[in-house]
Amino acid sequence: MQTRTDLRNIAIIAHVDHGKTTLVDAMLKQSHIFRDNQVVAERVMDSNDLERERGITILAKNTAITYRGIKINIVDTPGHADFGGEVERVLNMVDGVLLLVDAVDGPMPQTRFVLRKALELGHKAIVVINKVDRPNARLNHVANATFDLFIDLGASDDQAEFPMVYTDAVMGRATLMPGDAGVDLQPLFDTIVNYLPAPQVEPDQPAQLLVSTLGYDDYKGRIAIGRLSSGTLKPGQSVARIAHDGAITPGKIAELFVHQGLERIPVTQVAAGEIVVLTGLPEIYIGETIADALDPRALPPIRVEAPTVRMAFGVNTSPFAGREGTWGTSRKLRERLFKELESNVSLRVEETATPDTFIVSGRGELHLAILIETMRREGYEFQVSKPEVIYQEKNGQTLEPVEEVFIEVAGDFLGVVMELLGTRRGQMKEMRTADDGSVHLRYLVPTRGLLGFRGKFLTATRGTGIMHALFHGYLPLAGEIATRAHGSLVAFETGVTTTFALDNAEGRGTLFIGPGVEVYEGMVIGEQARLGEIAVNVAKKKHLTNIRSSNSDFTIQLTPPRVMSLDECIEYISEDEFLEVTPKSLRIRKKILGTEERRKTTSREEREEEE
């Protein structure tokens, strides 16, 4: 084994919104990879539209800087538990991590998840306490809480002796002493170089590279990214691709790149320890090994935790199908879903007995919602069912996934939040009151009890509550959970909504649409307070007479409709409903569109239950 002292491979891990992408921005700027007059966007590593809109990192990304002649490869990782699969696989490429912690919040649930993965791989960590400029920063409390977290997660003595750096990522300042303002990020760079280990490599052994990330280019084809563990690679070199089942396929590298700043630099040779980007292997997948052609040796494959939630994706069968989307056939839907498996290692896609329906399993509602939103922006038109949890059978007993839920709420809302969690089979594990009077709760809640919970939680706390959930494990089935206490208002016939008809329907509940909107029979157009459904005619026009004028509609004042986002729609739909997804619209509809047919089906099911 040899040590590459000229290289460091690190990942930045943190909870959502603790500032890791902002810190990467500052590191890139202070390493002078941009021109002095170059205009650089904020959070430059959050490169796709969804990441910028939601303000979260979804995909892990690579960059690199040079400091004192040492190249530092940096991986910016997601901070949300639903994208934990991204974190799990990229941690295989690095030798150490920067654990970013907010100076006020301290270690949060996702901090626990990503740190546990890093410690299990034996990585050393530098703790970076960020946002020290906040007036209510609690540096000593956060430092102690972080140390306690390391001990709770079983860190070794060497891992627990971590250095601390205090930063203000927005201003690009770092210091080793709490209370000092700092000038630049040099103390952070020095700590990375001096503390985190350099890669241990075997340059004289046959080449071995584990593919951790995939990309795609219209001209170069599939792009593989991974860390070269041993040997060397050159463009044009013959290699062997070792699949998950051990099958060996010969191939040839077309081009080789390494990261420098935000760019990929072509190189003529790469030595062991470097994070490499290569092309020329069109059939490569994540977790496969690229090895020497004459002496192929496989590396241990990447293993990620199994999905816990699934949804049915199907071809759009509504009367409005084909109006707004570019791709809507079962063949195109199948191609797109199976293509997602190439880069999304936490996802599972299964075909069903029905050729136009597929079961898609993921790590949570957000994980699947991001896929749905991405597909609709690409022009796909389809329908999805209500999310449902994935059960397991063990020793004749049914087990269900359970989440560890962390909640921060004002004391005034404590009672209503505890009542909501109690009805969803939540078990309180911890409750404490913070210095500012807020109450912190830790619950174990079945995953199916959290489906549709976030919206009700925000409503109950008037938007002030903070909730984070982390997968805990599989436990025995908790019993029945009533997650929906309301019913739907359903369109009785196809047509265009009128102000007159909506005014009559408004007394039945909350509307989702306004006047002048096309609807079809079986489409959900609102919510009512009671369970069940009410069929309403929202396309009815007023009969005109000598004393009734259509102009009188202008005097009707309708309540603005409740416009729901994709996440809210997914939370809202029930077992007998679909969500119709197109590039322009989101429509909730009944699975059985015909009003009379639904009534007959409901009556038949009720008779069968009585018998």
Side-chain angles (χ1 to χ4, degrees):
M1 281 281 187
Q2 296 183 19
T3 302
R4 279 200 63 174
T5 56
D6 63 334
L7 190 64
R8 300 291 187 276
N9 297 319
I10 67 170
I12 301 184
I13 58 178
H15 188 79
V16 179
D17 199 33
H18 277 196
K20 58 187 177 303
T21 305
T22 305
L23 181 64
V24 174
D25 278 2
M27 295 172 74
L28 289 171
K29 290 172 182 174
Q30 294 194 22
S31 62
H32 306 294
I33 68 159
F34 303 119
R35 301 188 312 273
D36 292 339
N37 63 343
Q38 185 172 347
V39 178
V40 182
E42 289 187 13
R43 303 195 315 275
V44 67
M45 294 294 285
D46 283 348
S47 52
N48 74 46
D49 292 340
L50 271 177
E51 291 180 317
R52 291 194 173 278
E53 288 173 19
R54 291 174 177 257
I56 60 174
T57 302
I58 297 171
L59 302 172
K61 302 173 194 68
N62 296 75
T63 186
I65 60 176
T66 302
Y67 177 71
R68 289 192 341 209
I70 298 174
K71 182 179 180 181
I72 304 174
N73 283 312
I74 303 171
V75 184
D76 182 21
T77 63
H80 196 285
D82 281 15
F83 308 108
E86 290 279 321
V87 178
E88 290 178 65
R89 58 187 169 88
V90 299
L91 286 178
N92 288 277
M93 291 195 291
V94 301
D95 303 292
V97 298
L98 298 186
L99 177 67
L100 209 67
V101 182
D102 188 284
V104 176
D105 297 336
M108 297 288 278
Q110 181 66 0
T111 314
R112 172 181 293 270
F113 172 80
V114 292
L115 181 60
R116 183 175 70 239
K117 296 297 179 185
L119 295 177
E120 287 173 357
L121 291 170
H123 293 332
K124 297 174 73 173
I126 297 171
V127 173
V128 179
I129 299 180
N130 191 32
K131 303 184 183 181
V132 295
D133 57 312
R134 294 177 66 176
N136 51 348
R138 305 177 296 169
L139 302 184
N140 289 334
H141 169 80
V142 170
N144 293 332
T146 305
F147 179 77
D148 292 341
L149 177 62
F150 272 74
I151 301 304
D152 290 344
L153 296 178
S156 66
D157 292 342
D158 194 28
Q159 290 172 325
E161 293 293 330
F162 52 83
M164 283 193 180
V165 182
Y166 303 87
T167 63
D168 177 356
V170 173
M171 300 302 295
R173 298 171 180 169
T175 177
L176 300 180
M177 297 297 295
D180 288 355
V183 177
D184 53 25
L185 293 179
Q186 183 177 341
L188 176 62
F189 290 138
D190 287 336
T191 307
I192 292 172
V193 169
N194 296 331
Y195 179 75
L196 293 182
Q200 298 291 316
V201 297
E202 296 177 307
D204 300 326
Q205 294 296 313
Q208 285 181 303
L209 181 146
L210 185 67
V211 178
S212 300
T213 308
L214 286 181
Y216 186 82
D217 185 275
D218 290 337
Y219 301 100
K220 297 181 175 65
R222 196 172 296 183
I223 299 171
I225 303 172
R227 173 179 167 175
L228 184 60
S229 301
S230 60
T232 57
L233 290 178
K234 299 178 181 179
Q237 179 178 337
S238 296
V239 294
R241 177 173 66 87
I242 306 176
H244 295 281
D245 58 1
I248 300 176
T249 307
K252 181 177 287 188
I253 296 174
E255 296 177 282
L256 272 180
F257 304 87
V258 295
H259 292 97
Q260 186 61 45
L262 300 179
E263 298 179 355
R264 291 171 178 169
I265 309 298
V267 291
T268 57
Q269 179 172 318
V270 175
E274 181 67 89
I275 293 178
V276 185
V277 183
L278 58 87
T279 64
L281 301 174
E283 302 298 324
I284 194 71
Y285 286 94
I286 288 176
E288 295 185 342
T289 301
I290 298 173
D292 186 84
L294 301 178
D295 188 7
R297 304 177 186 177
L299 289 167
I302 297 172
R303 300 189 183 278
V304 297
E305 292 180 359
T308 57
V309 177
R310 63 188 175 195
M311 299 172 73
F313 283 53
V315 172
N316 186 13
T317 57
S318 87
F320 293 171
R323 290 189 179 187
E324 301 173 350
T326 305
W327 314 110
T329 64
S330 58
R331 181 174 66 86
K332 283 293 183 181
L333 182 62
R334 183 185 186 280
E335 283 179 3
R336 179 61 181 84
L337 289 174
F338 279 93
K339 185 176 184 296
E340 185 70 19
L341 296 179
E342 297 176 5
S343 57
N344 199 334
V345 294
S346 300
L347 204 72
R348 304 284 185 273
V349 179
E350 305 168 41
E351 299 190 68
T352 65
T354 308
D356 60 358
T357 304
F358 306 89
I359 302 299
V360 181
S361 307
R363 294 282 284 266
E365 282 181 285
L366 181 62
H367 187 200
L368 296 175
I370 292 295
L371 171 62
I372 294 169
E373 182 63 33
T374 303
M375 289 176 62
R376 73 181 291 225
R377 294 187 182 203
E378 293 172 359
Y380 286 86
E381 182 177 314
F382 53 99
Q383 63 191 25
V384 297
S385 69
K386 177 182 175 63
E388 59 180 32
V389 301
I390 301 173
Y391 299 101
Q392 289 185 357
E393 294 287 335
K394 189 174 182 180
N395 300 326
Q397 188 178 29
T398 302
L399 305 179
E400 67 174 334
V402 174
E403 308 278 336
E404 192 172 11
V405 181
F406 299 83
I407 286 177
E408 180 182 343
V409 68
D412 296 342
F413 303 118
L414 177 61
V416 66
V417 170
M418 291 178 65
E419 182 180 354
L420 279 174
L421 290 168
T423 59
R424 291 166 182 258
R425 303 283 180 174
Q427 300 178 20
M428 183 191 290
K429 294 298 180 182
E430 182 182 353
M431 180 173 71
R432 58 184 177 83
T433 304
D435 297 337
D436 59 359
S438 63
V439 182
H440 294 249
L441 304 170
R442 183 168 66 89
Y443 269 78
L444 290 184
V445 186
T447 302
R448 61 194 169 98
L450 291 180
L451 299 179
F453 174 76
R454 191 176 297 273
K456 291 182 174 58
F457 170 74
L458 290 174
T459 301
T461 60
R462 299 178 186 174
T464 61
I466 300 173
M467 183 186 99
H468 300 288
L470 207 57
F471 178 65
H472 177 73
Y474 276 85
L475 295 176
L477 203 62
E480 290 294 324
I481 297 176
T483 58
R484 180 165 167 174
H486 53 75
S488 298
L489 300 178
V490 185
F492 183 73
E493 64 178 15
T494 301
V496 179
T497 58
T498 65
T499 304
F500 171 71
L502 291 175
D503 184 44
N504 292 330
E506 205 172 54
R508 304 291 186 92
T510 304
L511 298 179
F512 298 158
I513 56 174
V517 177
E518 280 193 279
V519 297
Y520 53 81
E521 182 182 8
M523 178 175 159
V524 176
I525 54 90
E527 176 187 49
Q528 62 147 334
R530 298 179 180 178
L531 285 173
E533 67 174 73
I534 298 176
V536 292
N537 188 350
V538 290
K540 181 170 59 175
K541 294 182 179 179
K542 182 192 298 183
H543 293 292
L544 304 183
T545 67
N546 290 337
I547 60 172
R548 289 183 177 177
S549 167
S550 61
N551 292 333
S552 62
D553 282 0
F554 294 122
T555 64
I556 297 176
Q557 297 293 321
L558 292 174
T559 304
R562 173 184 167 192
V563 180
M564 293 195 290
S565 65
L566 174 63
D567 300 59
E568 291 170 327
C569 288
I570 292 173
E571 287 186 355
Y572 178 86
I573 56 177
S574 64
E575 290 80 1
D576 64 338
E577 295 169 351
F578 282 133
L579 173 62
E580 178 187 353
V581 180
T582 76
K584 297 180 181 178
S585 307
L586 296 170
R587 302 184 187 97
I588 299 171
R589 48 155 289 193
K590 291 293 181 181
K591 290 182 177 179
I592 302 174
L593 294 177
T595 305
E596 289 301 321
E597 190 178 350
R598 283 200 309 279
R599 287 174 180 168
K600 291 177 182 177
T601 303
T602 303
S603 300
R604 185 167 58 249
E605 291 174 350
E606 289 174 353
R607 287 197 303 270
E608 290 175 355
E609 289 179 2
E610 291 174 359
E611 293 174 358

